[in-house]
Amino acid sequence: TGLLIGAAPAFGRTELQPNDALKQTGIGLERAAHKFRFGRALVTLQVGIAVVLVAGSMLFVRTLQNLRWQNLGFDRNNIVFVSINATKAGLRQTQLAQLYTELLRGLRRDRQVRAASLTNVTQIGGGLSWETLKPELWPSLTARERMLYTHEISPQYFQTLGLRLLRGRDFIGSDSLNAVPAGILSRSAAQTLFPGQDPLGQILRVNATTSYRIVGEVDDAKYASLRRCAHHDLQE
């Protein structure tokens, strides 16, 4: 479109015809010359705009291709995300837990479903939840490193998305009954919080009242958006 718009005036009559020029004298010839200069300037401007449009379009397409084929850290094929808000039905906390449990059972009984799980943050959904580690508990970390992105998930989440479990184990049902809740760190978070150490079995203290016992480590993945990777990540 840009090329057509820019090239169209070039096919018009932008030059003075010799026969017409010889017939004009004085003011008429001056007007014709002015019209000629204006036409050339207009063509130059339109061609310049067309070039900018084409260049911008090429860069836009290239950006889309890069975003489409980049490594997300999880298997993007054969995955369906479904968002529900059962609180609008007036269900209480215990009723919600029962609803989600029955929902997962029903999905997992389907022969076409290989795995199903729950999460409070949809992958590449634009949202994030986080906790800030207390500076006095983590004095060696910067303010940015103390921001810990958190995701509440149910068992089989990593299996469902094809996320690589690097070490340790997945969550099990009894984890929610422990005095110290279980947590699984992303690789970048484990390297930042426990550099040179095995994160398994470590107690991750967020503040005076919140702690997690690390039971696993998973590979990094995209969470908020295609352009942003939440490196310091905790699954709980």
Side-chain angles (χ1 to χ4, degrees):
T1 302
L3 287 175
L4 290 175
I5 293 175
F11 295 98
R13 299 178 60 189
T14 58
E15 296 184 0
L16 287 174
Q17 298 298 326
N19 187 39
D20 295 337
L22 291 174
K23 293 179 181 179
Q24 300 183 57
T25 58
I27 297 177
L29 185 60
E30 182 179 351
R31 289 178 179 175
H34 176 71
K35 183 178 180 180
F36 170 70
R37 290 193 297 269
F38 177 76
R40 290 188 61 181
L42 182 61
V43 171
T44 302
L45 176 62
Q46 290 180 320
V47 172
I49 293 176
V51 171
V52 172
L53 288 174
V54 171
S57 299
M58 293 176 64
L59 291 174
F60 179 71
V61 171
R62 183 175 180 181
T63 300
L64 286 178
Q65 290 178 336
N66 292 337
L67 292 175
R68 178 178 175 82
W69 298 114
Q70 69 172 293
N71 181 21
L72 302 182
F74 61 91
D75 186 2
R76 70 180 77 195
N77 299 312
N78 301 318
I79 294 179
V80 176
F81 292 103
V82 180
S83 298
I84 61 174
N85 187 354
T87 58
K88 293 185 178 180
L91 300 181
R92 297 181 179 180
Q93 192 66 31
T94 55
Q95 295 172 316
L96 287 174
Q98 183 179 359
L99 171 65
Y100 293 141
T101 300
E102 293 298 325
L103 179 62
L104 281 180
R105 287 177 181 173
L107 288 172
R108 290 169 180 171
R109 282 196 297 263
D110 192 320
R111 294 182 179 181
Q112 296 181 336
V113 177
R114 290 183 296 179
S117 184
L118 298 172
T119 177
N120 68 327
V121 178
T122 304
Q123 212 85 1
I124 314 298
L128 281 175
S129 61
W130 67 87
E131 296 186 64
T132 303
L133 304 178
K134 285 294 184 181
E136 54 269 25
L137 298 177
W138 303 88
S140 61
L141 301 182
T142 65
R144 173 66 181 84
E145 292 172 337
R146 288 197 303 272
M147 287 187 62
L148 188 67
Y149 298 106
T150 59
H151 303 266
E152 298 177 5
I153 64 175
S154 67
Q156 294 191 12
Y157 181 77
F158 308 117
Q159 178 184 350
T160 304
L161 267 67
L163 275 164
R164 290 195 306 160
L165 186 64
L166 302 179
R167 63 176 75 185
R169 63 170 176 84
D170 195 357
F171 293 114
I172 55 178
S174 60
D175 284 332
S176 59
L177 304 177
N178 297 333
V180 179
I184 298 177
L185 292 173
S186 68
R187 178 174 56 181
S188 293
Q191 293 174 350
T192 300
L193 300 175
F194 304 104
Q197 306 177 51
D198 186 351
L200 299 185
Q202 300 278 4
I203 300 297
L204 172 61
R205 297 182 61 193
V206 178
N207 50 48
T209 59
T210 304
S211 298
Y212 301 96
R213 181 181 298 277
I214 306 304
V215 298
E217 178 184 347
V218 294
D219 206 355
D220 293 333
K222 296 286 185 177
Y223 286 95
S225 68
L226 294 176
R227 297 178 180 272
R228 184 178 182 183
C229 183
H231 289 300
H232 304 91
D233 180 66
L234 168 71
Q235 316 279 349
E236 54 179 289

